[in-house]
Each structure stands twice: as C-alpha cells, then as structure tokens.
Amino acid sequence: MTATRIALWIACLAALILMPASAIAQQSSNVILHSQLDDYVQYNDVWGYTAPNGDEYALLGTTTGLSVVNVTAPASPYETGFLPGATSTWRDIKTYGSYAYVTNESSGGMAIVDLADPENPVHVGTYAGFNTAHNLYIDEARALCLIAGSNLSSGGVRILSLANPLSPAPVGNWETEYCHDVVSLGDRLYASAIYAARIYVVDISDPSSPSTIASQGNYPNAFTHNAWMTADNNFVMTTDETNGASCRMWDVSALPTITQASSYRPNPTTIPHNAHIDGNLAIISHYTIGVRIVDISDPYNIAEAGYYDTFPENDGGSFDGCWGVFPFFGSNPNLMAASDMSHGLLMLEYVANGGHVAGTVTQAGSPGTLIEGALVAVQETGVSTTTSVDGTYEIFDAAGSVNLSVSAFGYVSQVLPVTIVAGSVVTEDVALVPVSSGSVSGIVMDSALSPLPDATVEVLGTPLITMTDGSGAYSFPVVPEGMQTVRAWAFGSNAMDASANVVNGATLTLDFELEDAPVALDFEAGAAGWGASSTASKGKWALGNPEPTNGGQTQTGDDHTPAPGVNAWITGLLAGISVGWGDVDGGETVLTSDTYSLAGMQDVRVRYHRWYVSGYSTNPTTDFFTAEVSADGGGSWTVVENTDLANPSWEVVDFALEDFVAPSDLTRFRFTARDTGDGSITEAGIDDFTIYQVTAAPATGVAVLPGEAVDPDLEPAFPNPFRAGQNTTLRFTMPADGHLSAGVYDVAGRRVRLLRNGASDAGVHALRWDGRTDGGVPAPAGVYFVRTKTESTERSRKVLLLR
C-alpha cells in the first residue's frame, strides 16, 4: 500500500474517531437472518461457489486467510477448510470453474484454490506476476481475470487469460489511473478510480489493447470505490467510500455520454462500500448500517426495499461493519452471504412481503415463570430466534400459514399453526409444560475416598453442569425423566460416566470414586521433560509466575491453577509491565512436552488451559497459536488446533486423543506462539495440563422416594430422637462381603452426610451419625433417613434430630 493511501486512511480514521455515533436503529426490514458463523477475529470480502452437485459455499476472507463454508443449508453452515494466506486487512475472492482466485494487499501474489472437492479445498498454485492487488473480477464468458490495484505501474487494471486456469497469463493492461475495483460485461470494463474520484468505461473488445470510452467524476462526495452494471449493460451503480456519499445509478446506454439517473442515500453520515446488482435489486454493503437492498426496477426512481444491520453496535460514519455481500446463489435468488468485519458470515434472505410473530414464552400453570433461551422456529424455513431474559421473542418471515415450533430444555416442545400477515405483527404467547423429572445428587471422591471439591459434574447432552462444594457434594434438582448419563471429572483424576435412570418425582443418588489420571501437571513443582525453543528475538516460553501487562489484558498476571498455585508456562516471563515489552517478536517460540506412554489405553482425552492474545488496541490479530500432537516421539506432528481467536482469558481445550493419533508409548505435545506479521502483540500461556481417561461407573444409581418402606436388616436408631452433640447409632447386617454405601438424607431426598462408602465384610456393622453435615456444620432439626445400599439390597430408617 502506498504512503498516500496510508495517509488517506489515517486521516479518515482520525476524523471518524472524533465523530459521535448516531442512534442505533431497527436491525432489519424485509430480511431474514438464517445463521451467523463467527470463528475468526477479523474479516473482509466474501464470494460464493456452487459445486457440480448443487451444493453451495461461501468463500469468506479473513485477515489471515480464506475460509470455505458450506451454506447449502443456510441455517446450518459449517466450515470445510481454512487456507492460510498473507496477513492482510484486504482480501478479495472470485471463482472460475472449480477454482477460486484470491488476492491481498500484503504479499504473495494471487493464490489459486482448487474447489473440485469443496469439502476439502486445496491451495494448488500462485500467480506471481504481481505481488499485491486490491481486487479482482472474472469475466467467465471470456475466461479473463481482471486485476485492480496491483503493485505494478500505476495500479490500474491488469488483464489475465484463464485459458489454463492453473496458469493465468497476462494479455493486456489499462494503467491510466489507479483502480480500486473493476468489473466487466461483454466488451465493456468499468474501472473505479478511487483517488481520481471517477468511474471509467473501457473498451476491452481487444484485451491486449484496452481503450477508454468515457468517464464520469466531479460529482458530490466523489471517491469512486466500486461499480456494478445491470444485465443489459445500460446502467451502472457506483459507490463512493466516504461519509454521507450516495450510491448513484448512471445511464450508460448512450456512451460516451454518462448521465446520472438516480441515487440512494440512507443518511448523511454512513459510508457505502460495495454494490452488486442481481436482477431488479442492488445489494449494497454499507459499512455500519449493514446490508441495504435497493429496488432498481426503475433506474430513474430507485428506492430502499429492505435491510439488515450486521453491525448494531454503531450506526455512525466509521469503517466498521459490513464489507461485502454475495447475492448470486442459484438455489434461491433472494439468499445472500454477507461478511461483517467484526461478526463474520451472516446468511440472509430478502423477503419482499414479510410479517412478524411476537410473544412471550412462560411455564404452563405458572405464568409468572418466564422461560429464557427457548428456541422459536418456523418449521418450513428454519428461521429461528431465542427468547430473551424476559421470555419474549420476535421472528420475521414470509407471509403465509406456517408451523411455529417452541422448545426449551426441561419442557415439552410445542408446534403451533400461525398465519404470518405481511406488514403486521401477530401475537402468539406460548405456555410450555414442564417434562416429568426427578433429581440427581451425590458426592464425588478421589481414589482414597476423600471428597473432591470443585469437581465438574454434568448430565451429558443437556445444559446441566455444576461444581461440587467443599464436601464434594453436587445436586441437580430437576433432571428430565429417563436414562441419562452423568459424568464427573476433576483435575488430576480420570472422568467417570454413570448411567442414571431418572424417575419422575424421585431422588437419585450417584456417587463417584475417581481414579488418578495418568498425567496431571499444574506446573507448581516444575515440568520434568518439558522444554522450550525459540527463533523469536524475545518472548520465549518460560515456566514461572506470570507478570501482567496492560492490566492483565495482554499477558495475564495469574496462572490458571487455583490458589495457592502460581506457576504456568508463559511467553515473555518477567519481561516487564509495558505492552510489547516482552511479547513474542520476529519469529516463533515452541513449548514441547515430555514423552508419555499411553499405548493400549482406551478413551484417552487431553485437557489444558490456554492463554492467547495477538494484536492490541486497533491492531488486528495477525498470528496463529498452534497445538500439535505426535505419536512417534516428535518425528511427525498432527495439528490439534490452529487459531487466531485472541482472548484475554484462560480458555480450556479438551479433545479425544484418538481423533488425531493413536495412543502410543511415544506420545508428545507441543505449543507454538508466533509473531510473523507486522505490528502484532503476541502473548501466550499453558497451564493445568492433564491426560485422562473416561471410565464407566461400576454400578448405576437407584432412585428412592423419601419415606419408602424400611427393612428389619437395618435396626432402628438409638437414641431416637437424639439431640445435636450426641451420636445416634444404627446396626446393619451386611449379607455378604462387598461394597457398602451408607448416608443420611433429608425429607427431600438430599444427602446430608456420607457415613460409609467402600468395601465391607459380611456381618453386623455399626453406623453412627453426630448430627452434622458433610461440611461439619450442624444439620437443622428435623426428620432424616439413614439409608444403606449394597450391590443387592437397599434399606432405610427414620431418625429425628432435636435441638
């Protein structure tokens, strides 16, 4: 990028920082949001591709590469591949046949990506005839690739032949002015000369000798950024990348005469970026106010038809928000893929005659119980939303009769017929019936039967997750009826899964005895076998107590291990407190683990906490953090994660080892933090590394209703009643050698105290309770049940605690 262009950008940004943002407006009109995918930090342009089998893809530019996303089901997009490229704020993508061509303004020329198998995109070549370029357009009918804003000559238009798609060949150029964008139809090329503030029309009937036909400039706010023509080549819309500029329709049917037909200006502040024309609609990426759709069926009287604000944080005149929109999907002419610089890929659909359905979702029989996070969806289209904290929702879709599905965890789903009325809001309140449920509680212990505080317990496949208290106890008061799997895990231990048959209205007790994990490193006592190497000038991995920078927002001042833990692996350890003082610079630093013997182990998982920050303030993230695993002692490596998602907090990473390599006796791990871009601030950390297994509980829990029948094998308590400070004793006959669990429960079925849990001999045993909870706190006065459980029997007796 030239010094002149840098100066222009700095001047624009400085002026915009001083401008107050306008009030944030309604987010959408006549546009449906199908989905949003936001996996990276910063984005730029977007294009589309349709595979021979009809599947559709969005090609999403990021500052660090190209993301290929399957959008065949617009409500459920997924990334099929990411192809790293030179770090650049600007990236443009177009397609020809089964290839994508990608330019950037940093380095490396034009990348060529093979999309023959778009589920596995591959970088197959590079055109090195230029180093950088701002934009490109492909004339598919003539197999021409038009390059705008390259580093060659004045940065005009370079014309390449794609007769061999893998080997583009230069055939001509037009270098009258620097061009920010270029597009063509037939023998006519439209060049947007942003710094000349002018649109040029160029004859390319002979691509080797382009000639200027006409140009138009000197209009208000001229800073011609982009142009797009109608299908008949009679009109062109231009955008001017400056505050308050209009999007103008030009009549070019009688060249060399160019006449303004009409214009569109949504407000006097915001900045238009790119426009595309599809049939009778112009689709404009309009920075902070998002996607704007303009009806151009009468080019002399164009009017707004709909919009979606992709950047609701700010509707002012800044270079934030929507970068590009691709509206040319064959399956649905109203479907659009929009790229927002901060918010990623948004799949949108224009609906000319739509209406709203709105209402409140509550619990049936308890209208005051508002349900937050309920999923409300139109079954026919997949358009959906979730209820807010006050239980309300509003959804927009095409007019007509539809089925509205409403679902929430812990409730019976409903499907309601609704008629959406164009231009109106239909009210549909919904009362969901709670599902039949019971409760699950218990205690988590280590291999020595000591309670484990802060252990994680979750009901798999549900949002239910909790931590044990200081006595190792946990509780889920409401769990849906039926077979559930409950998992318990704690640092330093293997995880354990228990099958739970949850019975309506019953309390199910599940205890866990967790075995020690094969590897558990909090790095407080060092890290035998771990080591660091570095090609960076500073910021090498080191083990110690982190020093905070930028108030702990760039490098943390705390390790992840709970107190009294202090140590972690950190880049730039003890380097000072100024941002950039000790971050990774000019290379990469690699942390490599010891070698671990894991051969023959089943269900092996790896878990660690990671700190990673790249970029600072207005600087974009430019570098990836990489984690890898090797099954041959470091001879070869498999990538586990490769991310540029900077986040100033400790994040957990947990994965199944078998998803990447088979467990072996030569298993190693390594973590790489790097600084390879311009102006990046990179800091990283690793802490609480563990290799663990998931085992099955030896027995399932049994649901018990409070006060159910007792058995004479468990003798009555004595004394009973008894007072706090005394002991009450019960004698229990163990029918055979085996496992004995005994505890005290309140009338709601919650465990109060664990009396015994482990192997016991056959014969008579004495069980004593001193009236205290597992935490050593005196239990409240009242009725309690002492319950015993063996592999074959379960018994209970009632006791009364007095004060």
Side-chain angles (χ1 to χ4, degrees):
M1 186 166 61
T2 66
T4 301
R5 296 180 63 199
I6 293 173
L8 280 169
W9 269 91
I10 292 173
C12 289
L13 289 171
L16 293 171
I17 289 171
L18 300 176
M19 294 182 59
S22 61
I24 295 175
Q26 176 183 335
Q27 188 165 359
S28 66
S29 173
N30 292 342
V31 176
I32 295 167
L33 172 65
H34 282 286
S35 60
Q36 183 173 354
L37 202 63
D38 186 6
D39 290 336
Y40 300 94
V41 175
Q42 192 173 12
Y43 307 85
N44 35 61
D45 216 346
V46 65
W47 198 246
Y49 171 72
T50 300
N53 66 356
D55 284 357
E56 293 174 325
Y57 296 81
L59 308 179
L60 178 64
T62 79
T63 56
T64 53
L66 175 69
S67 173
V68 180
V69 181
N70 187 312
V71 296
T72 308
S76 305
Y78 62 90
E79 184 180 66
T80 66
F82 183 85
L83 297 101
T87 297
S88 177
T89 300
W90 296 270
R91 196 175 307 278
D92 194 47
I93 313 105
K94 298 295 188 296
T95 59
Y96 177 69
S98 62
Y99 297 96
Y101 299 84
V102 188
T103 58
N104 73 85
E105 285 213 34
S106 179
S107 64
M110 181 171 66
I112 305 172
V113 177
D114 189 347
L115 297 174
D117 178 6
E119 295 295 303
N120 296 283
V122 180
H123 179 272
V124 291
T126 299
Y127 175 75
F130 56 84
N131 189 39
T132 66
H134 182 75
N135 217 319
L136 77 153
Y137 179 77
I138 292 179
D139 183 337
E140 295 187 7
R142 304 178 66 185
L144 296 177
C145 178
L146 310 176
I147 303 298
S150 77
N151 62 294
L152 304 177
S153 190
S154 65
V157 179
R158 294 279 157 163
I159 303 175
L160 308 177
S161 169
L162 295 180
N164 180 350
L166 287 172
S167 183
V171 295
N173 64 81
W174 183 87
E175 291 287 355
T176 302
E177 296 282 358
Y178 168 86
C179 294
H180 214 55
D181 202 352
V182 61
V183 66
S184 70
L185 179 61
D187 292 338
R188 195 180 295 175
L189 177 153
Y190 301 93
S192 299
I194 190 168
Y195 300 124
R198 183 171 291 272
I199 176 72
Y200 282 87
V201 184
V202 180
D203 182 355
I204 56 168
S205 54
D206 179 1
S208 67
S209 182
S211 60
T212 302
I213 302 172
S215 72
Q216 179 66 50
N218 299 320
Y219 51 88
N221 288 322
F223 198 57
T224 317
H225 176 272
N226 142 274
W228 207 272
M229 64 278 147
T230 57
D232 58 11
N233 231 355
N234 287 330
F235 294 88
V236 171
M237 175 174 276
T238 59
T239 61
D240 294 280
E241 195 183 23
T242 189
N243 294 89
S246 297
C247 302
R248 301 173 186 272
M249 285 294 289
W250 302 96
D251 187 333
V252 292
S253 61
L255 293 175
T257 301
I258 300 178
T259 305
Q260 181 172 315
S262 57
S263 65
Y264 165 72
R265 184 180 187 231
N267 61 52
T269 303
T270 57
I271 306 170
H273 194 214
N274 291 313
H276 297 315
I277 293 175
D278 185 23
N280 290 325
L281 296 176
I283 298 91
I284 304 163
S285 50
H286 211 290
Y287 276 130
T288 58
I289 58 173
V291 177
R292 294 279 152 160
I293 301 171
V294 178
D295 186 339
I296 62 166
S297 53
D298 178 0
Y300 283 87
N301 186 28
I302 66 177
E304 184 174 274
Y307 60 84
Y308 189 93
D309 189 352
T310 65
F311 191 75
E313 296 94 322
N314 172 14
D315 284 349
S318 63
F319 294 100
D320 298 299
C322 191
W323 184 291
V325 189
F326 177 83
F328 306 115
F329 289 108
S331 65
N332 181 348
N334 294 322
L335 187 66
M336 300 169 284
S339 61
D340 184 276
M341 286 186 281
S342 300
H343 302 311
L345 178 70
L346 295 89
M347 295 304 300
L348 306 171
E349 183 179 355
Y350 169 63
V351 177
N353 296 301
H356 295 259
V357 181
T360 303
V361 180
T362 59
Q363 180 173 306
S366 180
T369 302
L370 305 170
I371 301 177
E372 178 185 3
L375 178 65
V376 184
V378 177
Q379 287 190 333
E380 287 77 5
T381 64
V383 176
S384 64
T385 188
T386 56
T387 54
S388 59
V389 66
D390 61 356
T392 61
Y393 73 92
E394 185 169 354
I395 198 166
F396 174 83
D397 208 341
S401 296
V402 298
N403 289 297
L404 194 72
S405 68
V406 185
S407 58
F409 176 76
Y411 294 88
V412 179
S413 299
Q414 283 195 38
V415 177
L416 306 93
V418 175
T419 299
I420 300 175
V421 180
S424 298
V425 178
V426 175
T427 300
E428 190 69 51
D429 294 329
V430 182
L432 296 180
V433 177
V435 299
S436 298
S437 63
S439 65
V440 177
S441 60
I443 192 166
V444 180
M445 295 164 286
D446 62 18
S447 57
L449 301 184
S450 297
L452 276 172
D454 298 321
T456 300
V457 186
E458 59 182 317
V459 182
L460 300 185
T462 79
L464 296 176
I465 186 168
T466 190
M467 304 289 287
T468 58
D469 62 18
S471 62
Y474 73 93
S475 177
F476 294 113
V478 179
V479 180
E481 185 178 39
M483 291 301 301
Q484 306 282 2
T485 299
V486 183
R487 174 173 292 177
W489 182 86
F491 178 77
S493 300
N494 284 330
M496 179 173 285
D497 288 352
S499 297
N501 184 17
V502 181
V503 178
N504 185 38
T507 296
L508 176 65
T509 300
L510 286 177
D511 295 333
F512 294 89
E513 298 175 18
L514 303 184
E515 301 172 350
D516 294 340
V519 177
L521 299 172
D522 59 12
F523 302 118
E524 298 306 314
W530 287 59
S533 62
S534 184
T535 62
S537 60
K538 57 186 177 72
K540 181 180 178 179
W541 287 106
L543 180 60
N545 188 354
E547 290 289 326
T549 59
N550 188 28
Q553 293 300 299
T554 303
Q555 184 182 104
T556 178
D558 296 300
D559 74 331
H560 178 266
T561 310
V566 295
N567 288 338
W569 283 99
I570 296 290
T571 57
L573 185 66
L574 301 176
I577 61 174
S578 298
V579 173
W581 186 277
D583 70 307
V584 182
D585 273 343
E588 61 184 34
T589 179
V590 182
L591 172 64
T592 306
S593 78
D594 196 5
T595 301
Y596 298 107
S597 297
L598 308 177
M601 293 186 180
Q602 302 296 316
D603 296 319
V604 179
R605 298 192 67 86
V606 179
R607 184 182 180 98
Y608 57 87
H609 284 79
R610 162 176 50 77
W611 177 281
Y612 170 63
V613 169
S614 182
Y616 172 66
S617 185
T618 58
N619 290 340
T621 297
T622 58
D623 292 294
F624 282 79
F625 177 90
T626 307
E628 299 165 283
V629 61
S630 173
D632 57 8
S636 61
W637 294 92
T638 300
V639 174
V640 172
E641 61 163 339
N642 191 45
T643 180
D644 66 348
L645 294 181
N647 183 20
S649 65
W650 286 104
E651 291 189 75
V652 64
V653 177
D654 190 304
F655 61 92
L657 184 63
E658 290 94 335
D659 288 347
F660 299 94
V661 298
S664 75
D665 286 338
L666 296 172
T667 304
R668 300 185 76 186
F669 302 86
R670 72 180 183 187
F671 306 92
T672 303
R674 51 177 59 88
D675 173 39
T676 57
D678 295 331
S680 176
I681 302 294
T682 298
E683 299 277 16
I686 294 291
D687 202 6
D688 293 341
F689 176 89
T690 184
I691 301 172
Y692 68 99
Q693 294 178 271
V694 180
T695 62
T700 59
V702 179
V704 178
L705 292 167
E708 64 186 11
V710 298
D711 189 282
D713 286 349
L714 177 62
E715 297 180 8
F718 181 83
N720 188 23
F722 76 108
R723 295 187 179 277
Q726 295 180 318
N727 287 333
T728 187
T729 302
L730 301 88
R731 294 169 64 84
F732 171 69
T733 301
M734 186 78 173
D737 292 348
H739 188 276
L740 171 63
S741 173
V744 181
Y745 299 82
D746 63 18
V747 292
R750 295 183 293 263
R751 173 179 281 122
V752 175
R753 179 70 175 272
L754 180 67
L755 301 178
R756 184 172 298 182
N757 190 45
S760 296
D761 298 331
V764 178
H765 296 266
L767 304 173
R768 294 181 177 86
W769 182 39
D770 61 2
R772 293 180 177 273
T773 68
D774 283 312
V777 178
V783 175
Y784 294 86
F785 293 87
V786 176
R787 194 186 76 186
T788 61
K789 177 184 172 185
T790 68
E791 295 174 357
S792 60
T793 64
E794 190 165 342
R795 311 284 186 255
S796 65
R797 285 285 189 180
K798 182 168 66 176
V799 297
L800 179 60
L801 174 62
L802 304 176
R803 281 281 170 246

